[in-house]
Amino acid sequence: MTSPLLTSQNTHPLYLDLYRELTKTIDDDRLIRDPLRTLAYGTDASFYRLIPQLVVRVNDEAEVRLVLKEAKRRSLPVTFRAAGTSLSGQAVTESILIQLSDNWKGHRIHQHGQIISLQPGVIGARANQLLAPFQRKIGPDPASINACMIGGIAANNASGMCCGTAQNSYNTIQSARILLADGTLLDTADEASKASFAQTHAHLLETLAELGEKTRSNTALADKIRHKYRLKNTTGYSLNSLVDYQDPFDILLHLMIGSEGTLGFLSEVTYQTVVDHPVKAATMLFFEDMEVTCRAVTALKSAPVAAVELIDRAGLRAVEGKPGMPDMLSSLGDKAAGLLIDVRASDQQELLRHLEQVSASLCHSEPINPIEFTQEKAIYDSYWKIRKGLFPAVGAVRPVGTTVIIEDVAFPVEQLAEGVLELQGVFHKHGYDEAILFGHALEGNLHFVFTQGFDAPAEVIRYEKLMDEVAQLVAVKYQGSLKAEHGTGRNMAPYVSLEWGQEAYDIMWEIKRAFDPDSLLNPDVILTHNANLHVQNLKPLPKANDKVDTCIECGFCESSCPSKSLTLTPRQRIVIWREIQRLSAAGDQAERLALLKKDYDYQGVDTCAGCGLCSMQCPVGINTGDLTRELRHDRHPDNKVGYWIGDHFEGVTKTARFGLASAATMKRVVGDGGMKAITGIANAVSGGVVPKWRSTMPKASIPLKNLLENNDCSATQSDQLTVVYLPSCATRVMGSGPESKDQRPVMEVMLSVLKKSGYRVIIPDGVESSCCGLAFQSKGQFAVAEQKANDLNTSLLAASENGRYPIVCDTSPCLLRMKETLDEKLKLYEQVSFINEFALPHLQISKKSARIAVHVTCSTTRMGLADSFVALAHQLADEVVIPADITCCGFAGDKGFSTPELNASALKTLSKAVEGCDAGYSNSRTCEIGLSEHSGLDYQSIVYLVDELSQPCQ
């Protein structure tokens, strides 16, 4: 499905030799060397571009050891990659990229949540989810916690808004499993492993012990190190390990934190966890100028605050007028600044005590607005929305072709005001007038965000001059940190000696040589002899498509994408589409362009579910599915076939029902195996028109008119209870699954629930020919999709008497499409929201003693109904299981029939996650087909359980 490696003079024979050696042990599909995927998988969130010769998706420690040993044998450099959300270029390479497969998500919880052991592929937010029952969390809380992985969090010593320095990885790590450059494994929690390591690596341990003793005895250097780590600091290696510890194993362990893959590979880290305070309050205070604001920060240094976030006037201006923003932002003066102050506690009484102390600390600070803390969730969230909206506010409005650069520095808190004012002056001097400043004020940690183009030499020079002056200001004049929490990477490597001085810099090189004498682990990251490294290999960001041009390639979208383990993620789709557009414009690499286009058809277009979950994680709200649908439209523009299907939709659905009925008959003769063989051939011959057989293929539904003949839709209690019921085309065609205990179609069950609730049911006229247009839109047939939506809109306005009555649809994805396209007068509900709001008040529920699995569809999540769905499930069953690793199921309408490998990949962890469950429930008929097949459970609509457990209120 992908093209072979391009044969060119640039392909070094040593990489081909390594590839052949690795194929003896590692599956070929995990040895990636084609032009499309090496570019896609080699891209991270930084503004650097290097394309690896070989990407190896490793499954376990043995495979990491193998790659390290074989690479060392050939003197080939290796770089490690977790989620690729790092910003400083520490996860890109033009050599070998070791990427984690999905097998690195293991965890062990110890001492009732006091300790947690995590493999490097666990996402930070998932770790906190595991610890939530214990009211604990991991210490680091980076802004990317929903996307970044433990491997990167530890390797970069990432921190965040609340953790400060006391709760970062350096200060909360207890032990680790470490693979060194020669493939040796050290488990610092295992005495036998340490004893063996002491025999085989005595020289390394002796070197670390000597460096520690030498550093501690150098009073001036030791004091400088302690000063530097009083601030947030990720510039260079963690030299504080040399003054904080004497045992060489402790020094080694803590040097690994923040080493960015240049000293070894962390295959497991064990953290001491911290309290996750459940009671929270916040206030947003504004001050006349930066100096007054920073004096308030100093006053809060000893107060019981969880976070103090500073925002300069440019930052506040960037979010003015946006939803949830305070009205007073527009009235602030030009020099004003703001502080978001967050206070947390174990209970309400403790919170009140903390708030009193914080308010007392601010009594002389003179904010513009009153000090009023809130616990109201909507207001609390709006304050944090201001803070978290700053980065995307710049990213969304930047000129096409430029990137957004976010740097982070740290000043001593007592000099924060002076440092900020001078930093703003440097920006203005170099023409970066749009730059905004914000950050974690208590730590003196500031982020500055600005747009930068690298397409012209003059722009590169301007950036270089800016960084030179920033480095002098922060590192020399104020003795601050050039990288407070984003890691040194390539971006700041040329400035490490400037910040630390030659003596400390030489120690860092001694550490590097002791761990990695051949300099094969992530060379040039953290330490480099190349003074221009930070302005080389800059990433191009050409105009590609209006729907995705604002993408900053941060990677936040990737964890929610159902195709992430099969082909590409949203970020990677955009990366490749940008490269295709760049090559098309340049016209000088025809062979590479042809290969990328060929492979992108499957990798980029065919395997995109188009679910839109990426838009919910994206800082600038990009739905990569919109690009995919446009490309499908370009491939197959609106045509006569599409129009014909739309015009004859009732007949098409009847034919589909007949096809399912015929297939069920044929299955009884040839079995599932025979059906898969027959439909596989038919699918190929028909160009995908005939769907591939699934073992959970549903029976044909009963025609709606037959159901209505046997169901009285009049009210049983009051004619005032009226609802318009729209059965989707999926439920009109597809009946129950072959193994379902309840063989009624969804429509019949919905009518039963509505009748029990006392509702008079109106079925829209011409419903058999109706469609929301989703089936057409997903294939890029936009005109037909719009036509069907318009027809449905007219029908529903008539049925609901212009929105007088609520409308319920039994399929969540269809309801989302309707909300996006139909008249706002229509009161639209999918089954879960309607049942919760309208049906349950009229029903008596007998809760079931059962363990059920629930799949919250992507459309339900996008409509903000996930919590409502889960709440309904908890009212129906004693135990509810929601698989943590499943987002979108990947069935994607009919993708489950045409591209079943997408569904299989998205649900590959489902069966293990739902072990012990009695049944599965969702709210989309097509999704339930794939869920049933890959779980071993029978998944049905949640309305089946509601109907089973409910009776009309007496």
Side-chain angles (χ1 to χ4, degrees):
M1 304 215 177
T2 54
S3 303
L5 178 68
L6 278 172
T7 303
S8 71
Q9 295 177 348
N10 296 326
T11 302
H12 197 289
L14 285 176
Y15 289 100
L16 292 175
D17 183 54
L18 173 65
Y19 164 75
R20 295 188 185 105
E21 181 62 32
L22 294 179
T23 56
K24 297 175 182 177
T25 306
I26 299 176
D27 301 334
D28 190 60
D29 61 355
R30 293 189 287 115
L31 298 171
I32 297 150
R33 57 198 189 113
D34 58 89
L36 184 146
R37 292 183 298 167
T38 50
L39 171 57
Y41 299 164
T43 297
D44 73 353
S46 74
F47 51 91
Y48 298 100
R49 163 65 51 78
L50 291 170
I51 303 176
Q53 290 281 329
L54 179 66
V55 178
V56 185
R57 279 188 165 172
V58 291
N59 275 342
D60 51 37
E61 289 176 342
E63 290 185 352
V64 177
R65 297 176 74 177
L66 172 67
V67 177
L68 289 174
K69 288 181 177 180
E70 294 300 333
K72 181 178 177 66
R73 188 171 297 166
R74 295 164 179 79
S75 299
L76 297 176
V78 170
T79 294
F80 306 110
R81 161 75 64 82
T85 57
S86 50
L87 296 163
S88 301
Q90 56 264 63
V92 296
T93 180
E94 55 188 356
S95 183
I96 302 162
L97 183 68
I98 294 182
Q99 187 183 56
L100 300 179
S101 73
D102 289 335
N103 286 18
W104 294 87
K105 296 182 179 180
H107 68 273
R108 289 174 289 126
I109 296 175
H110 319 276
Q111 300 177 25
H112 304 288
Q114 300 287 318
I115 306 291
I116 189 168
S117 299
L118 298 159
Q119 288 191 309
V122 176
I123 290 174
R126 173 58 178 154
N128 286 341
Q129 187 181 48
L130 293 166
L131 290 166
F134 307 97
Q135 289 195 358
R136 309 286 294 183
K137 63 178 182 177
I138 59 172
D141 62 337
S144 58
I145 197 165
N146 290 324
C148 65
M149 296 176 180
I150 293 299
I153 289 173
N156 291 293
N157 197 20
S159 48
M161 299 175 192
C162 297
C163 89
T165 55
Q167 296 179 350
N168 62 16
S169 290
Y170 179 91
N171 284 310
T172 58
I173 192 165
Q174 179 167 291
S175 64
R177 290 174 66 86
I178 303 164
L179 283 160
L180 298 185
D182 61 1
T184 299
L185 173 65
L186 168 65
D187 183 346
T188 65
D190 186 298
E191 292 302 322
S193 176
K194 289 167 67 175
S196 174
F197 190 85
Q199 294 293 318
T200 60
H201 290 72
H203 178 67
L204 170 59
L205 295 175
E206 289 167 4
T207 299
L208 296 181
E210 291 169 5
L211 287 174
E213 185 175 348
K214 172 183 171 183
T215 303
R216 291 188 297 274
S217 64
N218 185 334
T219 303
L221 179 58
D223 287 346
K224 180 174 185 175
I225 291 171
R226 292 187 183 98
H227 164 77
K228 298 288 284 184
Y229 288 101
R230 181 171 61 90
L231 313 175
K232 281 189 178 182
N233 193 331
T234 60
T235 308
Y237 290 125
S238 299
L239 293 186
N240 46 340
S241 62
L242 300 177
V243 297
D244 291 342
Y245 300 98
Q246 296 186 21
D247 186 321
F249 282 106
D250 288 333
I251 294 173
L252 187 155
L253 172 65
H254 288 84
L255 277 172
M256 288 298 300
I257 301 300
S259 63
E260 301 175 31
T262 63
L263 302 181
F265 174 79
L266 290 163
S267 62
E268 183 184 79
V269 295
T270 297
Y271 281 125
Q272 301 169 31
T273 64
V274 302
V275 175
D276 184 14
H277 293 112
V279 186
K280 304 173 184 179
T283 187
M284 190 79 199
L285 298 180
F286 304 101
F287 300 85
E288 289 184 0
D289 57 41
M290 186 60 71
E291 184 174 353
V292 176
T293 307
C294 292
R295 282 206 304 267
V297 172
T298 303
L300 289 167
K301 187 65 179 173
S302 58
V305 289
V308 178
E309 294 292 301
L310 182 148
I311 308 172
D312 76 348
R313 184 65 184 99
L316 294 172
R317 192 174 289 115
V319 294
E320 274 181 25
K322 297 198 173 177
M325 302 300 109
D327 293 335
M328 71 174 297
L329 288 184
S330 59
S331 64
L332 297 176
D334 289 341
K335 296 182 179 180
L339 291 179
L340 167 56
I341 304 171
D342 193 305
V343 180
R344 302 179 182 182
S346 299
D347 55 46
Q348 190 66 28
Q349 292 303 313
E350 184 182 41
L351 179 69
L352 292 175
R353 290 195 299 272
H354 286 177
L355 292 179
E356 287 179 7
Q357 294 175 54
V358 172
S359 297
S361 299
L362 292 169
C363 63
H364 301 298
S365 297
E366 302 176 357
I368 295 171
N369 56 319
I371 302 173
E372 296 176 345
F373 282 89
T374 183
Q375 290 181 256
E376 188 177 331
K377 189 176 187 303
I379 301 175
Y380 179 94
D381 290 346
S382 74
Y383 290 157
W384 277 107
K385 190 174 182 181
I386 294 175
R387 166 61 180 84
K388 294 177 180 178
L390 294 171
F391 184 34
V394 175
V397 299
R398 77 185 193 278
V400 175
T402 65
T403 189
V404 178
I405 293 180
I406 178 169
E407 293 292 356
D408 73 311
V409 299
F411 292 102
V413 176
E414 58 273 13
Q415 297 174 295
L416 183 60
E418 299 95 318
V420 169
L421 293 172
E422 287 200 55
L423 193 57
Q424 289 174 325
V426 171
F427 289 137
H428 292 307
K429 173 183 175 181
H430 292 281
Y432 293 93
D433 296 325
E434 82 288 357
I436 66 174
L437 282 171
F438 59 91
H440 320 313
L442 284 182
E443 314 300 328
N445 178 196
L446 293 175
H447 301 300
F448 50 96
V449 180
F450 56 94
T451 60
Q452 175 69 54
F454 290 121
D455 52 347
E459 280 296 289
V460 177
I461 292 171
R462 180 169 76 117
Y463 171 74
E464 188 172 14
K465 288 182 176 178
L466 170 74
M467 294 310 297
D468 286 347
E469 194 160 344
V470 167
Q472 286 290 334
L473 174 71
V474 176
V476 179
K477 182 173 182 178
Y478 285 98
Q479 291 296 296
S481 309
L482 287 173
K483 280 294 182 180
E485 56 182 4
H486 291 170
T488 308
R490 298 171 175 276
N491 181 226
M492 212 53 70
Y495 297 101
V496 174
S497 60
L498 176 71
E499 174 170 334
W500 277 99
Q502 195 62 45
E503 190 173 24
Y505 190 61
D506 288 344
I507 290 175
M508 291 185 188
W509 273 110
E510 287 187 67
I511 291 168
K512 173 66 173 174
R513 286 190 291 269
F515 277 86
D516 181 24
D518 300 318
S519 195
L520 295 179
L521 298 182
N522 223 2
D524 277 335
V525 168
I526 296 185
L527 301 179
T528 184
H529 296 298
N530 182 352
N532 297 312
L533 182 74
H534 61 307
V535 289
Q536 295 174 350
N537 301 303
L538 300 170
K539 181 192 292 183
L541 289 174
K543 180 174 176 56
N545 185 286
D546 291 342
K547 292 177 172 59
V548 298
D549 282 335
T550 56
C551 174
I552 52 181
E553 298 184 8
C554 64
F556 286 13
C557 57
E558 294 193 336
S559 62
S560 65
C561 181
S563 63
K564 61 182 178 291
S565 299
L566 177 68
T567 51
L568 303 181
T569 65
R571 167 171 62 176
Q572 293 162 354
R573 286 184 168 88
I574 294 171
V575 166
I576 300 303
W577 191 246
R578 280 174 166 164
E579 180 68 358
I580 288 172
Q581 299 310 301
R582 187 188 71 81
L583 292 175
S584 296
D588 57 354
Q589 296 184 58
E591 184 183 7
R592 178 176 173 81
L593 175 60
L595 284 171
L596 289 181
K597 283 185 171 181
K598 173 180 175 291
D599 286 350
Y600 194 76
D601 278 348
Y602 177 79
Q603 297 279 328
V605 179
D606 292 345
T607 54
C608 175
C611 64
L613 286 180
C614 51
S615 66
M616 299 188 69
Q617 303 297 325
C618 175
V620 293
I622 294 171
N623 183 343
T624 311
D626 291 338
L627 170 65
T628 298
R629 284 181 282 271
E630 185 170 310
L631 296 179
R632 289 171 184 166
H633 174 80
D634 293 343
R635 184 196 288 178
H636 301 294
D638 293 293
N639 53 50
K640 292 181 179 179
V641 174
Y643 282 112
W644 187 91
I645 292 173
D647 291 340
H648 299 82
F649 203 70
E650 181 175 357
V652 171
T653 56
K654 286 181 179 179
T655 302
R657 272 200 304 271
F658 176 77
L660 284 175
S662 302
T665 301
M666 188 179 298
K667 176 193 169 183
R668 287 195 287 270
V669 177
V670 301
D672 272 328
M675 290 300 294
K676 287 180 179 179
I678 293 169
T679 58
I681 296 171
N683 178 269
V685 171
S686 67
V689 174
V690 176
K692 295 179 181 178
W693 183 258
R694 309 294 295 259
S695 60
T696 52
M697 191 73 81
K699 299 177 179 179
S701 182
I702 299 172
L704 179 60
K705 65 178 183 179
N706 294 359
L707 284 176
L708 295 178
E709 289 173 359
N710 299 314
N711 280 273
D712 180 8
C713 292
S714 62
T716 58
Q717 293 181 7
S718 169
D719 286 342
Q720 292 179 352
L721 295 177
T722 300
V723 63
V724 177
Y725 171 39
L726 176 70
S728 72
C729 51
T731 57
R732 297 198 307 269
V733 170
M734 300 177 186
S736 62
E739 304 301 326
S740 296
K741 292 180 181 178
D742 191 333
Q743 287 289 306
R744 295 176 298 165
V746 174
M747 295 182 294
E748 185 174 353
V749 181
M750 276 293 295
L751 290 170
S752 174
V753 170
L754 294 174
K755 183 177 180 179
K756 286 181 185 179
S757 305
Y759 275 86
R760 177 172 69 97
V761 178
I762 297 173
I763 304 294
D765 291 339
V767 69
E768 290 287 8
S769 63
S770 69
C771 173
C772 66
L774 179 61
F776 298 95
Q777 181 209 29
S778 65
K779 294 176 176 57
Q781 299 290 297
F782 299 140
V784 187
E786 184 178 3
Q787 174 187 306
K788 296 304 293 181
N790 289 338
D791 292 345
L792 180 60
N793 191 64
T794 301
S795 173
L796 292 180
L797 283 171
S800 68
E801 297 186 12
N802 284 319
R804 177 184 175 188
Y805 303 127
I807 299 164
V808 61
C809 178
D810 54 24
T811 302
S812 176
C814 298
L815 198 280
L816 174 61
R817 161 77 179 170
M818 291 158 63
K819 280 181 170 287
E820 293 173 340
T821 57
L822 303 191
D823 197 308
E824 292 182 357
K825 288 186 291 189
L826 298 173
K827 302 168 187 173
L828 300 167
Y829 299 86
E830 55 87 67
Q831 51 188 282
V832 169
S833 57
F834 184 86
I835 289 170
N836 271 325
E837 186 173 343
F838 294 98
L840 284 185
H842 305 286
L843 296 173
Q844 289 182 337
I845 301 294
S846 300
K847 194 171 186 179
K848 190 172 187 176
S849 178
R851 187 170 192 254
I852 65 169
V854 167
H855 174 71
V856 180
T857 58
C858 45
S859 50
T860 302
T861 301
R862 289 181 62 194
M863 288 186 287
L865 298 173
D867 290 343
S868 178
F869 194 170
V870 175
L872 174 61
H874 279 291
Q875 291 185 68
L876 301 173
D878 286 339
E879 189 174 355
V880 178
V881 174
I882 303 170
D885 292 332
I886 308 295
T887 54
C888 169
C889 71
F891 208 94
D894 64 352
K895 278 286 173 193
F897 300 126
S898 63
T899 316
E901 63 271 25
L902 174 60
N903 183 227
S905 179
L907 298 181
K908 63 184 178 181
T909 62
L910 180 61
S911 61
K912 184 175 181 180
V914 299
E915 283 179 353
C917 289
D918 302 302
Y921 296 95
S922 189
N923 56 352
S924 170
R925 187 65 196 92
T926 51
C927 296
E928 289 150 16
I929 298 170
L931 291 165
S932 298
E933 179 172 337
H934 294 291
S935 67
L937 296 175
D938 177 38
Y939 271 80
Q940 289 187 300
S941 168
I942 192 72
V943 297
Y944 283 86
L945 191 56
V946 174
D947 190 48
E948 177 189 343
L949 303 178
S950 65
Q951 293 295 330
C953 286
Q954 298 301 318

